[in-house]
Amino acid sequence: MSRVSIIIPTLNEASCLGRTLRQLTLLDPPAWEVLVVDGGSEDETVVTAKRNFKLFSPATEVQVRSCAKRGRSVQMNYGASLATGEILCFLHADTLVPDDLVAVIEETLADKTVACGGFISVMAGAQRTHWGISLVNYLKTYCFPLLFKPQLFFQGLRLLVGDQVMFCRRSDFWECGGFDEALPIMEDGDLCLRLLPKGQIRMVNRIVQSSDRRVARWGTLKAIAIYVYIGILWGIGVDANYLKQFYQDIR
């Protein structure tokens, strides 16, 4: 059985981190370790992490670390540098995972032709489930690589994003250079491209639940337009620094 290290980058995530961590205490089999890498939160994120760490069994090593530099890519790379598991799993603080997460990850990467995997992300909140946006996000995993990078699509490229809980082997992650810390957005799609020589990028037929806070702020139609627009621009090679203006942080 492989050891799975779960890395959670945080920045002012006190409102949702506790629920995510409590869900991780239910994993069967348990994760090898859970690392919360904070980027300088000004709320109770760190306190929330430490309080919920008490709920984990001794089988899972848990720790919260502060990253000297803020940024999701930077924080995830820092967490990966601390991780001791053979497999790295990158989890957003507002995403809930199935109880058999570790088993699904191990089964997927047992196939040596697979370099990286992720789940189907269903976007939901307290009031509703956003099936339309969830469908759009599902389709773009396949459609954007097929439309804009067809030669790579048929080699196994899929466009995974952070909400889909990406995972890969630690050795492959570092051999391809980890996340590009210069990218303010689409660092996940960039990682998929660089991992492809190691094997296929696969979306497994299981779901995770992601927060709808962006949709709640933007509205459904605007959210769909932004997601599609960013995906198209990524596909044609537009600079990530330009794309960032359409995808501001929302807490």
Side-chain angles (χ1 to χ4, degrees):
M1 185 172 68
S2 300
R3 299 180 297 180
V4 176
S5 299
I6 298 177
I7 299 164
I8 307 175
T10 59
L11 179 63
N12 299 327
E13 296 284 10
S15 63
C16 57
L17 180 60
R19 185 182 181 197
T20 298
L21 291 175
R22 288 191 294 274
Q23 185 73 34
L24 295 181
T25 67
L26 304 176
L27 295 182
D28 184 18
W32 171 251
E33 61 189 348
V34 175
L35 300 102
V36 173
V37 183
D38 191 67
S41 294
E42 298 173 349
D43 63 2
E44 297 295 309
T45 296
V46 172
V47 173
T48 299
K50 292 179 178 179
R51 180 170 60 244
N52 283 278
F53 280 169
K54 298 175 183 179
L55 304 176
F56 282 84
S57 75
T60 301
E61 174 71 22
V62 291
Q63 56 179 306
V64 58
R65 301 293 290 268
S66 295
C67 190
K69 185 178 177 182
R70 179 178 297 182
R72 182 170 285 166
S73 294
V74 177
Q75 292 169 232
M76 290 190 292
N77 281 346
Y78 181 55
S81 72
L82 299 172
T84 59
E86 295 89 359
I87 296 173
L88 305 177
C89 173
F90 299 96
L91 174 64
H92 286 184
D94 64 346
T95 299
L96 302 178
V97 299
D99 296 352
D100 60 345
L101 172 76
V102 171
V104 173
I105 290 174
E106 290 178 335
E107 181 180 357
T108 303
L109 292 182
D111 184 344
K112 300 304 181 182
T113 68
V114 176
C116 177
F119 293 76
I120 300 169
S121 174
V122 173
M123 193 168 292
Q127 303 299 321
R128 58 179 296 192
T129 300
H130 301 273
W131 294 111
I133 292 178
S134 299
L135 178 60
V136 169
N137 289 337
Y138 173 84
L139 292 175
K140 75 180 184 183
T141 300
Y142 296 99
C143 291
F144 290 137
L146 179 60
L147 289 173
F148 300 109
K149 305 180 189 297
Q151 74 283 8
L152 299 181
F153 175 85
F154 290 107
Q155 293 176 31
L157 177 64
R158 302 295 182 263
L159 173 57
L160 298 177
V161 296
D163 285 341
Q164 292 175 266
V165 189
M166 294 174 63
F167 56 87
C168 62
R169 299 176 189 89
R170 185 178 60 175
S171 58
D172 290 342
F173 179 82
W174 287 120
E175 284 176 16
C176 78
F179 289 104
D180 185 342
E181 297 183 3
L183 297 179
I185 188 176
M186 295 304 293
E187 74 284 344
D188 30 34
D190 174 74
L191 181 65
C192 290
L193 284 169
R194 288 186 289 109
L195 278 172
L196 185 60
K198 301 290 184 180
Q200 299 174 12
I201 313 301
R202 179 172 296 177
M203 180 166 64
V204 299
N205 192 22
R206 295 290 301 279
I207 67 169
V208 295
Q209 180 181 316
S210 300
S211 166
D212 70 342
R213 58 190 177 188
R214 292 187 183 278
V215 184
R217 177 75 62 86
W218 291 337
T220 300
L221 293 180
K222 181 178 179 180
I224 291 176
I226 289 174
Y227 289 141
V228 172
Y229 187 56
I230 289 175
I232 291 173
L233 294 182
W234 173 84
I236 62 176
V238 173
D239 185 83
N241 290 288
Y242 174 80
L243 299 180
K244 177 61 177 174
Q245 66 181 302
F246 304 105
Y247 203 75
Q248 298 302 316
D249 291 334
I250 294 176
R251 297 290 185 270

